[in-house]
Amino acid sequence: MSIIELSWLLFVLYWLWGWRRVKGASRSEPVLPRVLKYWLPLAVGIFLILPSHRFDGSWLGMRLYPANALSALSGAALTMAGIAFACWARFVLGRNWSSVVQVKQDHELIQRGPYRFVRHPIYSGLLLAFTGTALAIGEWRGVFTIAIVAVSFWFKLRLEERWMRENFGAPYENYMRQVKALIPGVL
């Protein structure tokens, strides 16, 4: 098992372990839009980026650059950093976390830890991890995966932000003016 595969496995285990201690929802997005906008694209992205030779001979399996140690090591480092950032954000979010767009009972506006740098650090971390994995793979399927996952996260964060503005009002709008959504100081 590679360091990238181990990183993703640890991420999944941490995510499953943390699921047991979340608050109940007071508002939740319906299932069908959730599946179509988030889960299906994420499943396609994961399918594309998993280690496999099924794309050999297709444009998705074509290399973007020759395989080399620098891209493999850089990709592993970015993957680990992204997963660590997402896990830190999940830890700081605590019982307010949800895998779906929800407003929790007694929802808190978290602005500490990684939330000082970006409003959606879990998405930022996961996008960095997917980018690292794609860099290590070095094939077109990695680029396609990043695009699919980024679009899915963008749809999800837009709804989350609308609900957070409705729930928290001016404090959230002020937070939005001060802190970028995904990339510190940029986006």
Side-chain angles (χ1 to χ4, degrees):
M1 177 178 288
S2 75
I3 191 73
I4 291 176
E5 293 167 334
L6 180 60
S7 297
W8 281 110
L9 176 62
L10 291 173
F11 166 78
V12 168
L13 293 174
Y14 179 70
W15 236 241
L16 291 173
W17 176 78
W19 224 318
R20 61 183 170 66
R21 61 180 191 102
V22 298
K23 295 177 184 177
S26 63
R27 182 179 183 189
S28 189
E29 183 180 22
V31 173
L32 186 59
R34 182 184 331 160
V35 169
L36 294 176
K37 290 190 294 189
Y38 321 128
W39 294 112
L40 182 60
L42 193 57
V44 169
I46 291 168
F47 172 77
L48 287 170
I49 209 158
L50 284 173
S52 173
H53 293 287
R54 70 171 106 15
F55 300 106
D56 292 352
S58 75
W59 71 272
L60 288 169
M62 290 176 54
R63 294 210 55 87
L64 296 164
Y65 41 82
N68 60 60
L70 180 61
S71 62
L73 292 173
S74 299
L78 289 175
T79 301
M80 290 185 297
I83 287 173
F85 194 70
C87 288
W88 179 33
R90 168 90 185 264
F91 177 79
V92 170
L93 198 54
R95 298 186 65 224
N96 293 290
W97 176 83
S98 174
S99 64
V100 300
V101 179
Q102 290 183 336
V103 174
K104 296 294 191 173
Q105 296 167 359
D106 300 318
H107 204 114
E108 303 167 68
L109 177 56
I110 306 296
Q111 299 179 55
R112 64 184 181 279
Y115 292 87
R116 292 179 309 213
F117 309 114
V118 289
R119 295 190 310 268
H120 301 277
I122 292 174
Y123 302 154
S124 299
L126 290 176
L127 285 169
L128 183 62
F130 275 107
T131 300
T133 304
L135 177 65
I137 291 170
E139 298 173 3
W140 278 104
R141 64 188 172 112
V143 175
F144 197 52
T145 295
I146 294 165
I148 290 170
V149 171
V151 168
S152 174
F153 284 169
W154 188 255
F155 280 121
K156 191 173 181 185
L157 79 82
R158 301 309 301 165
L159 180 60
E160 284 178 0
E161 299 215 320
R162 189 173 83 223
W163 286 15
M164 291 298 104
R165 282 193 313 269
E166 291 171 6
N167 193 55
F168 294 110
Y172 195 79
E173 289 177 10
N174 186 46
Y175 178 53
M176 289 178 72
R177 282 190 292 278
Q178 295 174 359
V179 179
K180 296 294 184 182
L182 292 171
I183 302 170
V186 178
L187 174 69

